[in-house]
Amino acid sequence: MRHLLPALALWPLLLALTVASPAAPAQTQMVPAPEGFRMGDYRAPTPAELPGAATLDTPGAAALWQQGGAAWFDVLPAARRPEGLPEGSLWRPTPRLGVPGSLWLPEAGRGSLDPALESWFRGALDRATGGDRGRPVVFYCRADCWMSWNAARRALGWGWRDVRWYRDGTDGWEAAGLPTEVLQPAPGMP
């Protein structure tokens, strides 16, 4: 019992430190933008902005969505069947909820795209915008997700002139109580 008393005496101090200095939310951490694409560890704090693109907060994203006219792209990867799941086992991935009217382009936010995936992504952008590179395009996934940052950067490189990056993605959207709908991957994904 005597050994427990020093440890128990530390609990109030540890509790006070935890309450007095809460960890900053991940989405407020500032990290520098890389020169190129983020190539891995996609679920990590992101930069505050993407040079050449407008960064949207949730009120700005909601206003743009209400206004209409922008093409919205969710680039979160689709859930994959767990490795080692026995053959014939039932597996139901959680449905992807996104901003209503979005086109879901799983895997399009990777740092490196194989030629088939890159062609599919480019084609989806062209079809969704009618080839109008001045039409607003919005890329999102989740908060602290580099996939949308990469996809928006790629669209800028392909000549889209009104690129928006919704940094907080569906995490911010759902936290604000905004409507969602179940998304299906866009057709033709390689």
Side-chain angles (χ1 to χ4, degrees):
M1 181 71 171
R2 191 169 24 159
H3 292 87
L4 289 176
L5 289 178
L8 290 175
L10 290 177
W11 276 108
L13 176 60
L14 290 173
L15 183 60
L17 287 174
T18 303
V19 172
S21 58
Q27 60 264 37
T28 62
Q29 293 180 13
M30 298 298 167
V31 296
E35 291 295 317
F37 296 102
R38 175 75 172 228
M39 300 304 285
D41 193 18
Y42 297 112
R43 194 82 167 112
T46 55
E49 58 187 22
L50 170 61
T55 302
L56 297 173
D57 60 9
T58 298
L64 183 64
W65 179 75
Q66 289 274 336
Q67 176 183 348
W72 290 72
F73 300 95
D74 183 343
V75 296
L76 187 75
R80 297 181 188 268
R81 184 178 177 89
E83 287 186 32
L85 191 64
E87 185 77 27
S89 295
L90 182 61
W91 177 67
R92 291 188 185 150
T94 303
R96 175 64 179 147
L97 297 177
V99 175
S102 296
L103 189 59
W104 186 17
L105 305 176
E107 307 299 329
R110 300 243 175 236
S112 177
L113 302 180
D114 67 48
L117 186 58
E118 183 174 335
S119 176
W120 173 73
F121 180 17
R122 260 188 133 143
L125 281 174
D126 277 328
R127 285 186 297 281
T129 61
D132 178 1
R133 293 187 181 216
R135 181 175 174 192
V137 290
V138 181
F139 295 92
Y140 71 93
C141 52
R142 299 184 66 186
D144 288 340
C145 179
W146 283 84
M147 294 278 187
S148 55
W149 192 93
N150 279 344
R153 181 178 179 96
R154 193 163 269 118
L156 286 165
W158 290 337
W160 265 264
R161 294 181 302 278
D162 192 355
V163 175
R164 320 278 177 102
W165 175 44
Y166 179 29
R167 187 171 183 251
D168 291 333
T170 51
D171 293 331
W173 192 266
E174 289 177 351
L178 295 164
T180 60
E181 70 179 14
V182 175
L183 302 179
Q184 299 299 322
M189 183 178 163

